[in-house]
Amino acid sequence: MDIRQALPEGCKVETPTPETQLHDVVSRWSDAQVSLPYAVVTPLSSEDIIAAITFASQNNLKIVPTNGGHGSYVPITSKTLYLDMKNFKDISLDEEHSEVTISGGCLSGEVLKYLAGSGEGWFTTLPNANPVGVVGAFLGGLSHSLNGLKGFGIDHVRSITIIPFSDQKARTLTPGSRGGDGDLLNVLCGAGHGLGIVTSITLKAWKISSLNMNDDKIWTRRLIFPAPAISTAAELYTSLTQQEGGIAPELTAVLAFLRAPPTAPVPGAPMIMVALNFFGPSSEADKVCAASFEEKYVDKATVKVTVPTPFEALNEGVEALNAHGGFKEYHGCFCAEIDEKSIVEAFEAWKGFTDGEGLKKRGRSYVVVGSWSTGQLLKHKKETGGRFFDARERGVFVQAAPWYADSKDKEEADGFGKSVVQSMRQRDEEKGLQKRTFVNNLIAGQDMREVYSASQIEEIKRVKGIWDPRSVGWSPVIEGW
């Protein structure tokens, strides 16, 4: 049966031909792992989704739901039914119960701005890039800018509404669910890929005023260093994040290697940025981040600025990294500890990859290192068992993203990404710590034992066997690459 006949009238269906241009039907952050799908289906209702699941099941297709298009590790092939959730845009704030319900097509920036503009101003746990889909981020744990204060997004789930691939009926799960429903909810919290189509999630919400920030604005400080000052930047970053007693819960610190934009005095020059966001009173931020004002650091920075940032503008500083198209991969890891030597080695690998001829072809490649307090993450682990996010004791996240135009550069790009990860893991390896990787930042062929424990992998397989017995969905643990 033709797919158009199988789906309800009004449900948009696009079936590519060999002549169809990929970007006319699929827009993803990366062109890696993407070819023309069997069809692109844009549902308007749960009934449309159920019909699409039925068709996929009967025709040996894989359904891949999409929203922001940032899951570059998910393969799209001629056997993929690409389910575009962009019509599911409802956001509903329940101030009485301090929770927000977010539909399956909502992007982080949409929810961020909606909540910040509602009532006295609210927030919840959201991805730290505006065009990233909230549900997709949630299925991988939902790491965000306030990890240190709140823990992960999965720690604050109130309910999940899902159409499982097995019975194709919408069901709502809560932390109080028991039996098979309870097991399904648990796996959805951190290992949720390929079990069904999530049409909405409900998360806890907080008033922005509860953070006690001056004028409800985020204390933000940025220092940018030139390449010769990499050791100085590394020293500053580690002094702020690797201190005895740990990083302050209110502080999120980011270290980034970037090329200067075309509008800069020296376009394409290598830059090291130290970015600090403090979700608390400015007076406390000044104390916690006092090192960033020290003369030995300030004198070597070409840019040093401290500004209050409106909450709704939290993610605007990374917009340049969100552009769709080109080849990109996520090479990443979680670390317990990094040092200056590792940072310098990673910087040299990035600089070498983007220098010379590489500047034109892959100058948008970047490295980002984020650090946060692990106290709340470990507290929630005691309360919930950690759900399916094991790396809660690791307070450093590393992401190296090669960004290149020609697929022939992939081998060199992979070499760059792997070298950054290897450098950053040195301290952990010296201590004999297990390698850890973030499920929402995978590379094709990823060893999933770096993400989940052996017992978790067995549970994922068991639960998927119940809720997706015909393997309609894609999971990195089961179907892989």
Side-chain angles (χ1 to χ4, degrees), residues 65-113:
T66 180
N67 184 14
H70 282 247
S72 63
Y73 53 89
V74 181
I76 305 300
T77 72
S78 61
K79 298 294 287 183
T80 299
L81 196 159
Y82 199 68
L83 194 72
D84 189 341
M85 296 291 289
K86 66 183 179 182
N87 290 323
F88 289 70
K89 289 290 189 184
D90 290 340
I91 309 168
S92 177
L93 173 64
D94 182 341
E95 295 192 32
E96 181 181 355
H97 296 99
S98 299
E99 62 186 31
V100 57
T101 299
I102 303 164
S103 292
C106 293
L107 303 177
S108 177
E110 295 168 344
V111 182
L112 178 66
K113 290 175 174 56

Side-chain angles (χ1 to χ4, degrees), residues 3-287:
I3 187 171
R4 289 182 177 84
Q5 297 175 330
L7 300 186
E9 186 176 352
C11 179
K12 184 180 177 182
V13 179
E14 296 177 84
T15 52
T17 68
E19 290 73 37
T20 300
Q21 295 296 307
L22 176 64
H23 291 166
D24 289 342
V25 291
V26 174
S27 177
R28 287 220 304 186
W29 179 72
S30 172
D31 290 336
Q33 306 288 319
V34 185
S35 56
L36 288 172
Y38 176 88
V40 178
V41 174
T42 309
L44 292 168
S45 65
S46 294
E47 289 71 28
D48 292 350
I49 294 173
I50 291 169
I53 294 173
T54 300
F55 183 86
S57 179
Q58 293 172 347
N59 290 274
N60 194 30
L61 299 174
K62 284 269 187 287
I63 286 192
V64 173
T66 180
N67 184 14
H70 282 247
S72 63
Y73 53 89
V74 181
I76 305 300
T77 72
S78 61
K79 298 294 287 183
T80 299
L81 196 159
Y82 199 68
L83 194 72
D84 189 341
M85 296 291 289
K86 66 183 179 182
N87 290 323
F88 289 70
K89 289 290 189 184
D90 290 340
I91 309 168
S92 177
L93 173 64
D94 182 341
E95 295 192 32
E96 181 181 355
H97 296 99
S98 299
E99 62 186 31
V100 57
T101 299
I102 303 164
S103 292
C106 293
L107 303 177
S108 177
E110 295 168 344
V111 182
L112 178 66
K113 290 175 174 56
Y114 171 88
L115 289 177
S118 296
E120 299 176 32
W122 292 74
F123 73 97
T124 190
T125 55
L126 293 170
N128 52 15
N130 285 333
V132 171
V134 178
V135 165
F138 177 87
L139 297 178
L142 215 174
S143 178
H144 58 104
S145 296
L146 286 89
N147 284 343
L149 279 175
K150 301 301 181 184
F152 295 133
I154 56 174
D155 299 327
H156 299 289
V157 62
R158 297 286 179 85
S159 70
I160 303 171
T161 299
I162 183 173
I163 302 172
F165 291 132
S166 55
D167 57 10
Q168 301 174 30
K169 293 185 294 186
R171 60 204 305 132
T172 297
L173 316 172
T174 71
S177 295
R178 297 291 179 263
D181 282 2
D183 294 341
L184 176 58
L185 177 131
N186 203 33
V187 175
L188 285 169
C189 293
H193 306 85
L195 295 168
I197 306 301
V198 174
T199 57
S200 71
I201 58 174
T202 300
L203 300 173
K204 184 175 180 179
W206 300 265
K207 289 183 179 180
I208 294 174
S209 60
S210 67
L211 297 171
N212 297 315
M213 301 184 299
N214 294 52
D215 299 322
D216 284 343
K217 293 182 178 179
I218 305 160
W219 183 96
T220 304
R221 182 159 172 77
R222 301 285 184 268
L223 296 95
I224 296 178
F225 298 88
I230 175 58
S231 295
T232 300
E235 179 185 301
L236 171 60
Y237 190 75
T238 54
S239 72
L240 290 166
T241 62
Q242 305 289 295
Q243 54 192 294
E244 187 176 350
I247 186 173
E250 299 90 347
L251 177 63
T252 298
V254 172
L255 177 73
F257 308 151
L258 306 160
R259 290 281 173 172
T263 55
V266 185
M271 307 185 306
I272 308 107
M273 180 173 69
V274 176
L276 309 172
N277 285 344
F278 194 88
F279 299 92
S282 297
S283 58
E284 189 65 23
D286 291 337
K287 296 176 185 176

